[in-house]
Amino acid sequence: MIKSEAWLEQSWELALDKTHALAERLGDAFPHVAEGGRYDNCEEAWWTAGFYPGLLWLAHRARPDGETAKIAQRCEARLEKILYNSEAVDHDLGFIWLLSGVAAYRLTGDSESRRRGLLAANLLAARFNVNGRFIRAWNFHSKDMDTRGVAIIDSMMNLPLLYWASEESRDPRFAALAVQHADTVAREFVRSDGSIAHVIEFDPAIGKKVAEHGGQGFAPGSAWARGTSWALYGFTLSYGYTRDPRYLKVAENTADFFLSQLGDACLPVWDFRAEEGHREAWDSSAAAIAASGLLELAKYSARAEQFTKAAESILKGLHHTCTSWGEEHEGLLMNGTVHYPEQRHINVPIIYGDYFFVEALAKLRGEEGLFSVEKREA
Ligand code: GLY
């Protein structure tokens, strides 16, 4: 699928300009949200730390300039120290290392990046709960749930680190754990209408499901928009790596649910089932993730044309209504929502919104995303 349309070329060139300029201004920082126009700088251990280096790798791949890759490598070197503190890492090792070390290794062949990526995969594998057959999400203590038994839908995007590690090391252990986790998620998180739970708590000793929690969604049983996108994209990736048709089916059903809720719009409400009085927050990041996921799904689904068109329509809509190309905003994509229930960062640019928007544009232009299965020799 190689598209070339005026809006796409314009969006792509402006996104590259803006990303290269951002790299010059921020250097090896870890931006997360851009409230008031300027990106903040998070600690290395925050789950979003990979999106900025990932964005820089996409920009470098399209328009190599020497500097951008060096900054991404400096970010990766800063991230390494987290790998030696098992209490500082969580399941988001996948997001962080697929977009930093693994991306660097794939693009440059750097053996240090490969070493770090494999170390991260080992730490992610170590989070697998054998009795419950799930990957533990978080380490923190909570009065609301026993986090030793908690898995969340976002995890589906972390699994490609395990699939990659199995391919790279020729050791099937990592992929075997990824498949068991994906099976648990397909069973416990995915509802018959294609909507998705954000957080499921299991008994950490015996693995039995204890409860669904609303998490970043409105309530248990609701339909957090970004969680739907993580599932759509994540199950597609598991299909890409395993070719298990059950994952393709889940991805298609989730895509149908997402698109039915979105209707003709391009910008989803933060939770499709948020009650009246709570529907004035939007999530452009959910739209960008879904668009990139739909383009991934189009690589495998018999309904490729439909999913490609839907992705194109979302991206074109975002381009026309939701982007900022001037200097007043460092973010690319306006109107993302991080955590509505905790009232954190509502209707603001978010680094993963920017990352997935650019990744999706790259895919529309015929390139691969950084989560995708590598093209192999036949
Ligand atoms: N919990 C990760 C997210 O906000 O999508």
Side-chain angles (χ1 to χ4, degrees), residues 47 154 198 216 224 226 230 338 352:
W47 77 276
D154 325 26
H198 182 200
Q216 281 163 267
W224 179 43
R226 192 159 61 250
W230 291 143
V338 169
Y352 42 85

Side-chain angles (χ1 to χ4, degrees), residues 11-22 63:
S11 210
W12 178 245
E13 292 303 325
L14 288 170
L16 292 182
D17 291 346
K18 195 154 180 171
T19 302
H20 281 284
L22 187 69
R63 207 192 271 171

